[in-house]
Amino acid sequence: MNPYEQNLRTHQDALAVEYLPAVKNMAYKMKMRLPSSVDVEDLVAVATEELIKVARRYDPKKNDNFWGYVKQRVQGSMLDYLRSLDLVSRGDRKIIKDIEKEITSYYNKYQKEPDNEYLAKKLGLPVAKIKKARLAGDIYNVMPIEEQLNVFEDIQKKVEEEELVDIIKRELSKMPKREQMIIQLYYFEELSLKEISEVLDITESRISQIHKDVIRKIRKQLNG
């Protein structure tokens, strides 16, 4: 290894150490938006591994903004890990949608979400199946909104990705300001339901319902 390569490697290793706290913070922040069954240490491990890989490929001569270079890749690695859990099958997608409809109906009547036993009885399914489907739904809620829509519908076959993003923005612009704000804070500012609750002074349960209603409205428009 020549002197330049040696200096570059030393610089790369120093960057990995310097930005490790920021990357760990990204993992913990994502964990706040996930169900308790997802281990934050798994997210930290995935994020740290990606940080080291990216740092070892980084050349300041080609890109002088390391954090901008690494942030998107680290976040992408954590999303890939969540996708790898493969918690939802095609057959389960309808169950998740049916659960969401029942939850909305129950919430509108009682101002709280039903428990798994109620949903199991209502849908004629085992409680274990309900738990698995709700867990999968909670995990997919952290995915980019355009991907989340594609998980449950074959929307990508109808429109290209850029067009899909434009459609989502257009549909959001038609909605009440509060709904727009919740989607903005959740998907683009990446706040947890608890953080959004503190910002907007609305209960977490209500925010969850508004979020699901917005996704349903967009889905309905995309499917014509």
Side-chain angles (χ1 to χ4, degrees):
M1 187 178 293
N2 61 45
Y4 172 75
E5 291 174 337
Q6 183 61 55
N7 288 336
L8 180 59
R9 176 58 57 85
T10 299
H11 178 63
Q12 291 168 338
D13 291 345
L15 281 172
V17 172
E18 179 183 352
Y19 282 90
L20 181 58
V23 167
K24 284 185 175 180
N25 184 59
M26 286 178 65
Y28 278 95
K29 191 171 182 63
M30 182 173 286
K31 166 59 184 171
M32 291 175 65
R33 305 167 72 224
L34 290 164
S36 59
S37 59
V38 178
D39 191 340
V40 69
E41 294 304 323
D42 290 337
L43 290 175
V44 170
V46 168
T48 301
E49 182 180 359
E50 186 65 17
L51 168 65
I52 294 170
K53 286 180 181 178
V54 173
R56 286 289 173 89
R57 296 195 299 265
Y58 179 68
D59 187 341
K61 287 185 176 180
K62 297 178 181 178
N63 189 322
D64 62 359
N65 182 358
F66 179 73
W67 182 239
Y69 179 75
V70 74
K71 184 178 180 181
Q72 186 174 359
R73 289 164 176 80
V74 168
Q75 183 166 19
S77 71
M78 290 190 290
L79 292 177
D80 284 342
Y81 166 72
L82 294 174
R83 294 183 191 102
S84 75
L85 298 178
D86 195 24
L87 290 171
V88 58
S89 66
R90 180 171 290 276
D92 287 337
R93 295 175 190 178
K94 183 179 184 302
I95 295 174
I96 293 173
K97 290 172 67 177
D98 289 343
I99 287 173
E100 289 180 353
K101 289 178 182 177
E102 289 296 338
I103 289 175
T104 297
S105 176
Y106 189 94
Y107 187 92
N108 289 339
K109 188 173 182 179
Y110 300 106
Q111 298 304 299
K112 64 179 182 178
E113 292 196 0
D115 57 25
N116 291 330
E117 287 71 21
Y118 172 88
L119 291 169
K121 184 177 180 180
K122 193 75 174 178
L123 297 174
L125 294 168
V127 173
K129 189 79 169 178
I130 297 294
K131 287 181 179 178
K132 180 182 177 183
R134 292 187 79 172
L135 174 63
D138 288 342
I139 288 177
Y140 276 106
N141 278 342
V142 308
M143 298 297 171
I145 188 170
E146 62 270 20
E147 180 177 339
Q148 187 187 149
L149 290 166
N150 285 327
V151 167
F152 298 103
E153 307 286 349
D154 292 326
I155 292 170
Q156 197 66 36
K157 294 178 181 178
K158 301 179 182 180
V159 295
E160 296 298 324
E161 183 174 351
E162 289 185 4
E163 183 183 354
L164 176 58
V165 172
D166 288 340
I167 292 172
I168 291 170
K169 289 179 179 177
R170 185 167 66 247
E171 292 306 320
L172 281 174
S173 70
K174 300 176 184 177
M175 296 178 185
K177 292 296 182 182
R178 186 171 64 172
E179 295 184 1
Q180 293 184 44
M181 179 65 72
I182 287 172
I183 295 299
Q184 173 69 29
L185 293 175
Y186 190 79
Y187 287 103
F188 301 103
E189 302 299 329
E190 298 177 4
L191 299 188
S192 67
L193 294 183
K194 181 179 180 180
E195 290 171 325
I196 297 173
S197 174
E198 292 171 354
V199 171
L200 299 181
D201 195 25
I202 309 171
T203 65
E204 290 181 49
S205 181
R206 182 56 184 150
I207 290 169
S208 176
Q209 286 310 304
I210 292 173
H211 164 255
K212 290 172 183 176
D213 286 344
V214 170
I215 296 298
R216 254 195 305 275
K217 288 177 184 176
I218 296 174
R219 233 183 246 147
K220 184 176 180 180
Q221 291 300 318
L222 289 169
N223 281 302

